[in-house]
Amino acid sequence: MSEVKVDNRIGGAIVPAKSGKVFERRNPADAREVVSIAPDSDDADVKAAIDAACEASLQWGRTTPTQRANILSKASGILDGKVETLVAGMVKEQGKLAADARNECSRTPKNLELYATEAYRLSGATFPSDDTPLVYSVRGPVGVVGVITPWNFPLNLASRKIGPALAAGNAVVFKPSPLAPLMSDHLASSFEEAGLPAGVLNVVHGFAAGAPLVADKRVNAITFTGSNATGEKIHREIGIGRRVQLELGGKNPVLVLDDADIDLAVNVVMRSSFSLAGQACTGAGRIIVAKNMFDVLLEKVLKEMKKIVLGPGNAPESTMGPLVDGVAVASMESAIAAGVKDGVEIAIGGRRSAAGELQHGFFFEPTILLGAKRNSSVVQNEIFGPVVTFESVEDIDEAINSANDVSYGLSASICTQSISKAQHCAQLVEAGMVRINRPTVGAAFNAPFGGIKQSGTATHKEQYGPTVMDFYTLQRTIWMGS
Ligand code: NAD
């Protein structure tokens, strides 16, 4: 495949960065291949996109629910009609296995279908009052919404923000990850093809386009998914009077209790820790195991790990794809080096894999670390790759204490055959999402998704679920006098 040129989309026009600067996105499975070339936008491009959004938002905010729902449904159909093209592009640009890419590419149109129907559900309420016969609330759009996304689910995550924002009548400025410009452009073009008016959805690519989008006070709300470091900067910048929602990182545990079904637990660990090469916010970096289960679980997981075949996402034999880029490889190496300094032992993996053709990509051996102390950086910090610690615990209380002894609180799995232990842990483990005998990864299409503690803004209204529209709408209460 030859590289695809992607441009910004501003006010209905497809334009390069004003500076003319571009950047390349290379295939993480074979960095010799340039997949896309996109504009490296700066403040001037972002300002033009916000100008366009401000202008378009008034008109769009007055459209009927049916007008908005029709466009979302049409965009959904357009994406659905090119799932295989999207899969091929996503595998090359992002690196995930074709099966995982297909999963994401087919889920994205469904998100838009769901949000199309939300346009009809922007309801208010009436309130009994001593004051006047009618007190009621109504919802309207927020205005201009800035959407900033990471690279690991370039279609799905962006659709979960752009979809509800548009359904509520907001105009959007979308700043996708510079590691996934091609996928973002496919998403944006589907709305344009569906007839979305010019300026309602604007896209600015680049490494430095996020900060000016957040800084511009005309942007009424920022919805962000990404790292804690960036999330903290955005949170500081946003101030009073504007909205922000942050979906951040995790250091998610799998708790394997003393009565767990061992083979099921092995499956939960493998899927939680190594699917998407560990590059999921909900991926498990800590396996906390009852001492009677520790040796057998470790042995069985090691056996499964030895069967993993690293390779490009489009090779049928591959069972784990590459990391997203060389920075990610360096970050694995430094996290593991810090762990070793703290006294951890590498049970398996621990290195970049560069055998044969893999030398051209960013492959990393799935890794287990043993003997890490609770306060060690490998236990406390998100690593965002296929690197996990195994810890032995005496009992369920110690398991819960260990699970909660980090600043994050996104997802957690409990492996047990006891309903009462499952319920006990589900109440006490500090995570926005708790899964019983299920992997930490994955999301329900229509259920709330989000974290607590440092994993986000903890409103638990973000993205999926019936409360999703709260962020994208302003409520106003009206006292009707006679
Ligand atoms: P990142 O924070 O590096 O980048 C995310 C986005 O922010 C990119 O578009 C980037 O260009 C932009 N950005 C960078 N600096 C900015 C600034 N100062 N102001 C505004 N925007 C700025 O994150 P990433 O590496 O792309 O993604 C990986 C992270 O995302 C991991 O921590 C992962 O856990 C997290 N994540 C969380 C969820 C969730 O739902 N909680 C889902 C996926 C990924």
Side-chain angles (χ1 to χ4, degrees):
M1 185 168 92
S2 59
E3 75 266 7
V4 180
K5 185 156 185 302
V6 168
D7 272 315
N8 288 336
R9 292 174 181 267
I10 299 179
I14 297 177
V15 290
K18 288 179 194 285
S19 68
K21 286 189 189 153
V22 293
F23 63 91
E24 291 175 347
R25 172 63 187 149
R26 288 172 180 264
N27 180 348
D30 184 344
R32 293 170 300 180
E33 181 184 6
V34 178
V35 178
S36 53
I37 298 180
D40 202 4
S41 314
D42 61 23
D43 297 27
D45 305 296
V46 175
K47 182 181 173 302
I50 300 171
D51 290 347
C54 287
E55 201 183 320
S57 76
L58 297 175
Q59 204 67 23
W60 181 246
R62 291 193 199 110
T63 49
T64 64
T66 299
Q67 285 171 318
R68 297 195 297 276
N70 281 350
I71 286 177
L72 264 79
S73 287
K74 256 187 166 176
S76 165
I78 290 163
L79 285 173
D80 204 36
K82 55 178 181 182
V83 164
E84 288 311 314
T85 308
L86 296 172
V87 169
M90 188 178 283
V91 166
K92 295 246 178 186
E93 186 180 64
Q94 198 270 346
K96 54 181 72 168
L97 297 179
D100 293 328
R102 191 162 293 109
N103 189 18
E104 175 170 358
C105 296
S106 348
R107 256 166 50 188
T108 301
K110 291 195 173 66
N111 292 339
L112 297 185
E113 278 299 342
L114 179 71
Y115 296 127
T117 66
E118 292 295 345
Y120 295 103
R121 282 196 281 267
L122 299 174
S123 52
T126 56
F127 306 93
S129 164
D130 292 339
D131 213 24
T132 179
L134 181 58
V135 177
Y136 65 99
S137 65
V138 290
R139 281 171 195 258
V142 172
V144 174
V145 175
V147 169
I148 306 177
T149 50
W151 50 267
N152 63 337
F153 291 97
L155 281 183
N156 184 49
L157 273 178
S159 73
R160 282 156 48 172
K161 295 175 183 296
I162 294 171
L166 295 180
N170 299 289
V172 170
V173 178
F174 174 28
K175 208 307 274 172
S177 168
L179 304 183
L182 180 56
M183 286 300 106
S184 323
D185 195 58
H186 275 298
L187 182 62
S189 74
S190 72
F191 285 104
E192 211 166 291
E193 252 183 80
L196 189 71
V200 177
L201 172 61
N202 307 277
V203 190
V204 271
H205 295 276
F207 288 86
L213 178 59
V214 177
D216 194 314
K217 300 280 189 277
R218 294 175 298 164
V219 177
N220 307 94
I222 291 284
T223 172
F224 169 84
T225 300
S227 66
N228 284 63
T230 310
E232 278 170 27
K233 283 186 204 158
I234 293 175
H235 203 257
R236 271 199 301 274
E237 175 73 35
I238 209 82
I240 298 173
R242 297 198 293 153
R243 291 186 174 186
V244 65
Q245 70 175 189
L246 306 174
E247 280 290 341
L248 307 176
K251 189 71 188 180
N252 311 296
V254 174
L255 279 63
V256 180
L257 303 186
D258 58 4
D259 65 341
D261 172 327
I262 191 71
D263 291 323
L264 191 147
V266 171
N267 188 271
V268 166
V269 170
M270 293 301 295
R271 285 183 55 197
S272 302
S273 297
F274 302 120
S275 53
L276 300 167
Q279 302 171 111
C281 57
T282 47
R286 294 178 295 147
I287 314 300
I288 299 167
V289 195
K291 65 177 180 199
N292 65 318
M293 291 282 178
F294 190 87
D295 290 343
V296 60
L297 183 82
L298 180 60
E299 187 190 319
K300 281 179 179 263
V301 169
L302 285 170
K303 200 168 154 198
E304 288 304 308
M305 287 172 73
K306 286 176 188 150
K307 294 182 198 161
I308 289 176
V309 179
L310 287 168
N314 52 9
E317 66 278 12
S318 303
T319 57
M320 189 187 287
L323 297 183
V324 72
D325 59 13
V327 176
V329 171
S331 150
M332 297 305 111
E333 288 169 343
S334 68
I336 292 169
V340 168
K341 217 168 154 199
D342 278 352
V344 307
E345 178 201 332
I346 301 171
I348 186 170
R351 288 172 312 171
R352 180 177 189 163
S353 185
E357 286 298 299
L358 299 189
Q359 67 180 297
H360 303 299
F362 304 112
F363 294 91
F364 203 85
E365 294 174 350
T367 301
I368 290 181
L369 304 176
L370 298 175
K373 295 189 193 74
R374 286 250 192 103
N375 62 0
S376 169
S377 60
V378 289
V379 174
Q380 293 296 322
N381 300 335
E382 182 183 51
I383 295 180
F384 217 57
V387 178
V388 297
T389 58
F390 266 59
E391 176 191 350
S392 170
V393 288
E394 289 293 323
D395 54 28
I396 189 167
D397 292 334
E398 194 187 351
I400 294 168
N401 285 340
S402 173
N404 294 345
D405 196 11
V406 295
S407 61
Y408 298 98
L410 188 54
S411 183
S413 285
I414 321 294
C415 296
T416 176
Q417 298 189 68
S418 150
I419 290 176
S420 63
K421 284 181 188 173
Q423 282 185 333
H424 181 70
C425 289
Q427 293 297 326
L428 295 179
V429 167
E430 294 167 356
M433 295 170 287
V434 180
R435 339 263 183 145
I436 311 300
N437 294 323
R438 308 267 309 157
T440 52
V441 291
F445 174 62
N446 53 353
F449 180 100
I452 57 174
K453 295 164 79 177
Q454 293 296 306
S455 288
T457 33
T459 55
H460 223 78
K461 292 173 176 173
E462 301 170 6
Q463 296 159 0
Y464 288 98
T467 50
V468 71
M469 300 308 282
D470 288 354
F471 181 76
Y472 298 97
T473 51
L474 281 181
Q475 287 206 47
R476 173 187 312 254
T477 311
I478 296 167
W479 278 257
M480 199 67 172
S482 50

